[in-house]
């Protein structure tokens, strides 16, 4: 998975979901922090056939609440 982010201290968290339930999660660092846009990437374990979504998010440094998120559905055949 790769993308662009504009996050505090370039921190990018992610979750892999199947049927809405998290099956894997992690974090990575973008190439540069906000206000610029940096690139990031991460890998997951190989996936079996099915419908999934990946959620990329930013959490508040103040209280840990989600301040931004993006969900991308996809299918593996």
């Amino acid at each position: 998975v790769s993308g662009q982010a504009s996050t505090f201290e370039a921190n990018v968290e992610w979750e892999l979901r199947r049927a809405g339930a998290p099956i894997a999660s992690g974090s990575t660092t973008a190439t540069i922090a906000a206000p610029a846009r940096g690139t990031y990437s991460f890998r997951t374990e190989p996936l079996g056939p099915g419908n999934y979504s990946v959620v990329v998010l930013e959490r508040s440094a103040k209280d840990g609440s989600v301040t931004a998120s993006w969900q991308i559905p996809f299918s593996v055949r």
Side-chain angles (χ1 to χ4, degrees), residues 19-67:
I23 60 171
S25 63
S27 62
T28 190
T29 304
T31 55
I32 194 164
R37 285 181 136 346
T39 59
Y40 66 87
S41 66
F42 60 88
R43 295 177 78 84
T44 68
E45 296 294 322
L47 303 173
N51 296 319
Y52 299 87
S53 63
V54 64
V55 180
V56 181
L57 53 105
E58 176 186 32
R59 292 192 185 273
S60 167
K62 180 179 178 180
D63 63 10
S65 63
V66 174
T67 56

